[in-house]
Amino acid sequence: MPSRYYTLVAVLFVFIASLVLEVFFKAPWVTWPIIVISGTLSLVGLRDITQTKQAIRRNYPILAHFRFLFEYIRPEIRQYFIESENEAYPFSRASRSLVYQRAKKDSDKRPFGTQLDVYEAGYEWMNHSVSPTVVPTSDFRITVGEHTAQPYSASVFNVSAMSFGALSANAIRALNLGAKNGGFAHDTGEGSISRYHREHGGDLIWELGSGYFGCRTADGKFDATRFADQAQDPQVKMVELKLSQGAKPGHGGVLPGPKVTPEIAEARGVEIGVDCVSPAKHSVFSTPIEMLEFIAKMRALSGGKPAGMKLAIGHPWEFFAIAKAMVKTGITPDFIVVDGSEGGTGAAPVEFTDHVGVPLREALMLVHNTLVGVGLRDRIKVGASGKIITAFDIARTMAMGADWCNSARGFMFALGCIQAQTCHTGTCPTGVTTQDALRQRALVVPTKAERVYEFHHSTLHALSELLAAAGLTHPQDVKPEHIIRRISSTEVASLAGLYKFLKPGELLNDTAEHKVFAYYWGKARAESFALAS
């Protein structure tokens, strides 16, 4: 029996023993208060493990109430309990609270005005209009792959890549059912499509990483036939080649053999109990041109569905090489997802988490400007991921060039994640990131799927209110001039004034004055990721 149930077992034992001693033996040291207290706690514990609303109560009967007590009296004990907990993550605490409110349909309104320092450098806001609009719907969508045989009408807010194996079966089920009910997409992550992705039929974006999970040969190479079989499934709406992820770009991964369960092995096409390796680089291509040819092959094998790539930006000349390869070959991906270095994962080396890769804003600007500069921005949709949770996050990101946004931690919070930061241990207290059947039982799929749906719905409703206040009607109408950032206590500037935006075709004419483009563009080559000497 798991130790987290010991408290419930103990109070049950005290209750039963005390009741027996009192009723049958009239033991003088047994008092009715002991019976009443232990009986009450027993009822609370039994109720905890049978209710379906809160995963942490199902996994930690009785004990979970101490956490709720501290949350309840939080304003009074903030200095003693709250500020010491994850004090390096104030962003996450505030965002988690907002997600919980929206996912549970609680009021997200707040008294006493902003709690942010509006005169601190870095504070941002969205300007409003004296002529607000009426936004007819909050179901904002964009079309990806207009030139393909099977274009996809995607929501502007979707579930970012999280694999089965990293997440529990029940977490995958709840995310996909929520996506199904809300009409948005669920990225599979590189762990491929599991049986749990298929149960409810929600739209899938199949992410293909360097391990080619779900379509690999026995020696780990790409299997075109197996890829076609899966990619042509109607539930799969787009196929995505993963080059790197923001949390640990340029770093491969290993799922240790003991964690490779029969279900994970089935989804990934690997052997049970054998280390599952994701190499740091792909084996099917070694040059930008070969990479684009492979994306075109993915599109063809899928039956003409949108095919694209996801990457965290590193050396700028490597993306310039990809852009030059697009111009030279005429092959373009239907979409590019830019993953910022601030994105998360279940486990990554500290140095990679903190100091490798380009943050989302700079990465997004590089990709957007490059595509504009080579005259291909209209053909390629751009997605963005990396700590995107609120409606303002979406508006700001789209103002900087994104067509849609993905969120991982936001939807994890909606599932009930409390950031216990035990993702890599298998002991997740809420059942989100564990393969332990008993622990993930606490995550009740219908309840959490409803919260996933509500979080998405409420966030887009909030986005529609922002757009209406700004006099706009669609997120794609948000431009850099709409978002203002404080530079110092006496200076502010719009994103249009802070960032250099290239003009269409500017790179083709070699007239770009932006320092990064001016220095590296001429040295990038379509035939190689390496910088020309």
Side-chain angles (χ1 to χ4, degrees), residues 326-439:
M326 294 180 198
V327 174
K328 183 171 184 176
T329 65
I331 302 173
T332 56
D334 299 300
F335 64 91
I336 298 173
V337 175
V338 183
D339 200 14
S341 64
E342 62 268 49
T345 186
V350 173
E351 289 80 5
F352 277 79
T353 299
D354 292 340
H355 300 291
V356 179
V358 178
L360 177 60
R361 299 184 192 186
E362 287 73 21
L364 179 59
M365 286 303 308
L366 182 85
V367 170
H368 173 74
N369 269 331
T370 303
L371 296 179
V372 170
V374 296
L376 293 174
R377 184 63 182 86
D378 292 339
R379 288 187 58 86
I380 303 170
K381 291 296 190 292
V382 176
S385 58
K387 285 189 177 179
I388 297 173
I389 294 180
T390 70
F392 180 76
D393 293 337
I394 297 173
R396 179 189 58 226
T397 305
M398 296 187 73
M400 297 183 71
D403 293 299
W404 86 84
C405 296
N406 294 335
S407 177
R409 75 185 63 212
F411 286 102
M412 286 185 69
F413 291 161
L415 289 174
C417 170
I418 60 172
Q419 284 186 295
Q421 299 187 48
T422 58
C423 309
H424 58 299
T425 67
T427 60
C428 173
T430 55
V432 176
T433 64
T434 179
Q435 298 306 307
D436 183 308
L438 190 58
R439 282 183 177 272

Side-chain angles (χ1 to χ4, degrees), residues 162-166 188-194 197-198 205-231 236 239-242 245 248 251-256 260 263-271 274-284 294 298:
M162 294 180 284
S163 300
F164 169 59
T188 65
E190 68 174 311
S192 191
I193 307 170
S194 71
H197 287 94
R198 299 188 185 281
I205 300 173
W206 182 15
E207 181 180 278
L208 189 66
S210 57
Y212 309 116
F213 299 130
C215 59
R216 56 187 270 144
T217 61
D219 59 350
K221 304 300 182 183
F222 177 71
D223 187 321
T225 301
R226 294 188 66 187
F227 176 83
D229 289 343
Q230 295 227 62
V236 176
V239 289
E240 172 184 280
L241 178 67
K242 173 194 166 185
Q245 68 181 96
K248 49 179 180 179
H251 190 284
V254 178
L255 185 64
V260 182
E263 295 165 313
I264 292 175
E266 175 190 56
R268 300 193 178 197
V270 298
E271 293 185 46
V274 177
D275 288 353
C276 181
V277 179
S278 297
K281 61 181 292 186
H282 282 267
S283 61
V284 292
F294 183 70
M298 291 171 61

Side-chain angles (χ1 to χ4, degrees), residues 435-456:
Q435 298 306 307
D436 183 308
L438 190 58
R439 282 183 177 272
Q440 64 173 291
R441 166 192 168 277
L443 197 160
V444 180
V445 173
T447 299
K448 300 305 183 183
E450 178 66 17
R451 292 183 180 179
V452 166
Y453 164 81
E454 288 295 343
F455 167 60
H456 178 271

Side-chain angles (χ1 to χ4, degrees), residues 12 18 20 49 54 70 75 85 102 125 136 146 161 191 203 213 242 277 331 339 356 365 378 388 397 425 484 498:
L12 280 170
S18 299
V20 169
I49 63 175
Q54 294 174 306
F70 292 146
E85 176 197 354
R102 288 179 171 168
W125 69 89
E146 295 98 327
D203 291 353
F213 299 130
K242 173 194 166 185
V277 179
I331 302 173
D339 200 14
V356 179
M365 286 303 308
D378 292 339
I388 297 173
T397 305
T425 67
I484 313 300
L498 287 174

